[in-house]
Amino acid sequence: MTVEELHELADRERERQAGVRHRVLYCSAAGCVSCGSHATRDAFKAAFTRRGLTESEVVGTGCMGLCGQGPLVKIHDDGVLYERVDAGLAHRIVDEHLVEGRPVAEHQLDAASPFFASQVKIVLENCGRIDATRIEEYIAVGGYEALARAVAELKPQEVVEEVRKSGLRGRGGAGYPTGLKWDIARKAPAEQKYVICNADEGDPGAFMDRSVLEGDPHRVLEGMAIAGYAIGASQGYIYVRAEYPLAIERLKLAIRQAERHGVLGSRIFESGFHFRIDLRIGAGAFVCGEETALIRSIQGRRGRPQPRPPYPSERGLFGAPTVINNVETLANIAPILRHGSAWFAALGTPRSPGTKVFALAGKIRRTGLIEVPMGIPLRRIIFEIGGGTPEGTEFKAAQTGGPSGGCIPAEHLDLPVDYEALATVGSIMGSGGLIVMDSTSNMVDVARFFMEFSRDESCGKCAPCRVGTVHMHDLLRKIARGRATADDVALLEELCETVKETSLCGLGQSAPNPVLSTLRFFRAEYDALLGPVEVFTPSNPLARGRGPGGS
Amino acid sequence: MAILTLTIDDQPVSGTETETLLEVARQHGIEIPTLCHLDGLTDVGACRLCLVEIEGASRLQPACTTRLQEGMVVRTNTERLQRYRRTIVEMLASEGNHHCAVCVSNNHCELQDLAYTVGLQYVRVPYLYPAKTLDATHKDFVIDRDRCILCSRCVRVCHEVEGAHTWDIAGRGIGCEIISDLKQPWGQSTTCTSCGKCVLVCPTGALFEKGATVAEMEKRTEFLRYIVNARQRREWNPDLLHEE
Amino acid sequence: MITLAVEGGPVAVPRDATTTHPSGDNRFKLLDRAINTHHASGSALIEVMHAAQGIFGYLEDDLLIYIARALKRPLSQVYGVATFYNFFRLKPAGRHTFVLCTGTACYVKGADRIQRAIEHRCGVAFGETTPDGAVSLVAARCVGSCGLAPVAVLDETVAARLTEDEAVARIDAWDAATEGVGA
Ligand SMILES: Cc1cc2nc3c(=O)[nH]c(=O)nc-3n(C[C@H](O)[C@H](O)[C@H](O)COP(=O)(O)O)c2cc1C
Ligand code: SF4
Ligand code: FES
Ligand code: FES
């Protein structure tokens, strides 16, 4: 297709939508579906038929944010948002709001409340706004404009430069500057290069990437195609976890539509640029989120990490230069090209520009998906947006970064959310899981929980992580059961240091973080569980000519 | 190829960019402990014993997979590295069921030697006493997984040098184990050529010849360099054999 | 079991499967199709295993040998891959599947208590199937509905804000509907 055809398509779709009498958007993401949003949809359809409102439509969208209050419904005509919409309420909304013009006040959500007002939406701008199964709706809100412009007007080098100037940093956890990564891959001399979208979203308790893939898949495809153009790749892969069947289905559909409309495939926008995207489905291994392991997995192998250097941008998939980016990183690319790098760089903080999507969960009143500017203090996220902890309990810690991150106590809640600030308190930004713990949470057991996760997910390649996570977990369990002494805690700390410093990949290197951060801020909880020091009889099984236990 | 100069443990050394820190250090008589490395096999950087400090690098790097760079300043034996190495050997010792006194490789074991090199006095972590299996179904050899430290040398020699790929690693994390074919008894393997290379390269007594008794199993690994060099340099061109 | 939407599976037997596969089992024709989609490339091993598991339910030795031959991969490597990933099953699954989320949000909201109650009820641990083949207990890492924690997926229906009693009651209901569950 040509750029003109893209614009025509956008106009046609906008006209079509303007001609619809009532447009009701319901959330069809996992959270609301499990609260019964399909029944809600059917009720709206039935109510339209009952009232003879034939030219009205009910549209399934991506996550609307307040997952704990689903099913959520938005009336497109006037922007009114409703919570807990069951079938009965659907009929009432049609009768009272759409027909008689009186919104159902008790279920209406206040758009001026801090939950909505404190958010800035870039990555999630279309989530809850468009039908993810129709490319036309994405195009109608400006979709594929950025790709068209890049291909028609910019040199690959200029695209890289624009991304570099925006200051965008990788949202997969480590925060590596995306422009730099692309530049290395662009300069690497090779016939074949690849772009990989990391949609493995391994952090248990996080669902940001999933929401983007389900609610706005074309945004990710567009970002990948732009990356492909910038570095000179003609093939992309999306590595998505098997636990996300809906995201897989939406991506497949989106790729087919994009190919049919000529925004993916050969001669994109009538240029010499070709780009294909294929899906690769994970098979349940957290370590495959690590880039070198992910690459091995795409090649059909055990997901065992490789030493870096060489970095994937020099030698990655099938030995070729490969850019591997997180879903959210790629979702930022099209807006950066559309609005310019200066616009993006002005958002957030100078070191960490832009926004970050967080999945709020745990002991917090409003659970769900939010997008906030970088630099916002944690306190505002938890208390203003999230509404604080439930009645009768007190905030104790916020956990970011999942099994690789740490627990941030109340005294550090005024820290701004950016990569460096979170690192100063021993946590990491991570991919965006934010779990709140209250006074009922036992921090030693929290550390044990994460260590159990790392132990079970260790690939087993390198000795410190394979064996160290087992010992650290056993020690934590011993402490939690009140059977440990101060010596055990000292040993635990030493193991933490060795595993952190000597493990091969990020899994082992960061597995001790939850222990170190709880030891740092909640040491009293450990100490309260310790017993008196026992006399220890050492042994060495490797002594020449002696058996184990040194008998 | 350009010659690069760098310092290792305050000693000026030189080499080319295709060489690793480990190779150059050894050429200059600087000993760095290793376990998963074996001359002639691809390096995987798994055991982490060869980690060294490089000035300006944010992390420790394995000498076996790190290529030379001009002006590198490398330290191979600091107090910190010694401490880490000791802890890693401790972990390896606790992971298996090692009974050196009754082992065929007693006194010829790389793990045992390492325990001495790194000055391991005693093991502070509890033994894990895993339930591992012994397979004596092969006519000539035995694998005792109690003594396996998962260095993967057998897997690599079988794949890279013999070309049979009988061995691989199954499972994950602490549950990893060396398996033949579809985890069949070794004696029933349809791919094994009984060449015995895996036995020769195994650093411990996990793979040994049938009939060997305590402390009798000595391993040879020099053959590897010899075969690999001959292949790479085409010293044994098969055509030449026909011509003669 | 969380269903998978991958090329080739899960699928119904198509109309053209009237002629038999040399093995006598027509499901291999479907597998061949999945293998051909990927041009029998060794790098498609994981995709092909997904398809095979979708078609056959689990990966038994004969199936792994078939895949290894078709993709020209060493047997031990195929076995290594099959046992590395949690998703692949080498044994048949139970008639019912109870997938409990053990992600962080669910843990904070008490998934561990549900886990203990269910293990006690069924007499087997998570990761196992009851000896009578009735129920497989599967622990998942976040099913992406953290706002509704604790969450379980029972034969593909999501149960939100689950309690111990409810969880046990759901198993009892399976029990009442069929012959028996566990212990
Ligand atoms: C154990 C481990 C798990 C990881 N899991 C993920 C993941 O699930 N998603 C992701 O995007 N990045 C993950 N990463 C980070 C990736 O290795 C890589 O840095 C990232 O995909 C780069 O993309 P970005 O620059 O856009 O952040 C993980 C890293 C480690 C060490
Ligand atoms: S750190 Fe852990 S996960 Fe990473 S390579 Fe080592 S064993 Fe595997
Ligand atoms: S010898 Fe270098 S990591 Fe094992
Ligand atoms: S942690 Fe259970 S659904 Fe996310």
Side-chain angles (χ1 to χ4, degrees), chain A residues 5 8 14 24 60 114 121 124 127 144 169 186 215 256 300 307 373 392 397 416 453 458 471 490 506 514:
Chain A
E5 283 165 351
E8 273 167 35
R14 281 192 285 261
V24 172
K121 299 212 170 180
L124 299 179
C127 273
Y144 290 108
R169 299 171 64 175
R186 185 185 70 79
R256 267 206 306 278
F453 179 91
S458 164
H471 285 306

Side-chain angles (χ1 to χ4, degrees), chain A residues 451 462-469 472 493-505 507-512, chain B residues 59 84 87-88 91:
Chain A
M451 193 56 75
C462 73
C465 169
R466 179 180 71 233
V467 192
T469 51
M472 290 190 289
E493 287 185 279
E494 193 188 326
L495 291 179
C496 281
E497 185 195 337
T498 305
V499 173
K500 198 176 163 74
E501 296 300 326
T502 63
S503 290
L504 193 162
C505 86
L507 192 153
Q509 289 161 11
S510 58
Chain B
R59 303 201 61 89
Y84 294 160
T87 311
I88 293 173
M91 289 193 212

Side-chain angles (χ1 to χ4, degrees), chain A residues 132-135 138 144 213-214 216-222 238 246-264 277 279:
Chain A
T133 60
R134 295 185 60 233
I135 190 173
Y138 179 66
Y144 290 108
L213 296 174
E214 289 178 0
D216 199 5
H218 285 287
R219 163 179 300 263
V220 179
L221 304 186
E222 186 177 3
I238 305 179
L246 184 61
I248 294 170
E249 200 183 296
R250 294 266 162 93
L251 280 170
K252 279 188 175 168
L253 182 66
I255 292 171
R256 267 206 306 278
Q257 292 172 345
E259 281 172 354
R260 192 157 5 95
H261 284 82
V263 289
L264 281 184
I277 296 179
L279 284 188

